[in-house]
Amino acid sequence: MAEKLDVSRQSINAIETGRYDPSLPLAFRIARLFGVPIEAIFEDDGEQRG
Amino acid sequence: MTNEKATRRYLGFLIPAAIAFIGASVAFKAADNAALLPPPALYAVSVVPVGIMLGMFWAHWRYMNEIDEFLRSIQVKAAFTGLIVVITLATGWGWLEFYADAPPLAIFWLNPLYWIAYSAAVLCFSPRDGAVS
């Protein structure tokens, strides 16, 4: 997955464990890789709190 | 370019450059102690270690551009930590020199101090942010 997204293994690990929020371009690349909308992968914490 | 390749390229430049910087600094001190060169020549020769030092920062800049955004975020935080340590210590010690007769600290040491603080910060932030699994 890291290879397909052209990022490090550490980046994928940090995103999966919630320790790093990816940039919008990377988030779109991840969504495209899975073939789903971006909201299906990432949640807006602000909305959850609201 | 992969992160691994960028890291290899970075360390491949940085380690020899650091050794060359230390060597140039030692040679500079030896030349001064032995009075081999007149002061104007010492000014001219100082271009060598300063050039090496600039090369190290250039390599660091290039590395930060080549790695991915997550690893870059760690590098930026570490570089900023190094800057905070250097500026704070320089200013704090400067006040002590002005008002408390503290022994003068050569500003030469700010460069190694920066690299030590930066390295310590990388070692601290990498596991904390999940870059070491």
Side-chain angles (χ1 to χ4, degrees), chain B residues 74-89:
Chain B
I74 293 174
Q75 289 293 320
V76 169
K77 281 187 271 190
F80 195 62
T81 302
L83 188 65
I84 290 167
V85 168
V86 165
I87 297 292
T88 305
L89 274 177

Side-chain angles (χ1 to χ4, degrees), chain A residues 15-27:
Chain A
I15 293 167
E16 280 176 349
T17 53
R19 281 187 279 195
Y20 177 68
D21 292 325
S23 68
L24 201 51
L26 178 55

Side-chain angles (χ1 to χ4, degrees), chain B residues 20-123:
Chain B
F21 177 78
I22 292 166
S25 300
V26 171
F28 204 87
K29 185 169 176 55
D32 182 48
N33 286 347
L36 285 176
L37 298 168
L42 287 175
Y43 273 91
V45 174
S46 71
V47 169
V48 175
V50 168
I52 295 168
M53 196 177 87
L54 284 173
M56 290 168 72
F57 281 110
W58 166 79
H60 197 179
W61 183 281
R62 185 181 65 175
Y63 176 62
M64 285 168 79
N65 279 304
E66 288 174 347
I67 53 179
D68 71 35
E69 60 181 55
F70 167 63
L71 298 177
R72 187 181 306 122
S73 73
I74 293 174
Q75 289 293 320
V76 169
K77 281 187 271 190
F80 195 62
T81 302
L83 188 65
I84 290 167
V85 168
V86 165
I87 297 292
T88 305
L89 274 177
T91 305
W93 195 261
W95 279 328
L96 292 174
E97 284 186 25
F98 281 150
Y99 305 115
D101 290 330
L105 176 70
I107 56 173
F108 167 85
W109 294 108
L110 296 181
N111 180 45
L113 187 64
Y114 167 81
W115 287 102
I116 290 167
Y118 153 77
S119 303
V122 168
L123 291 175

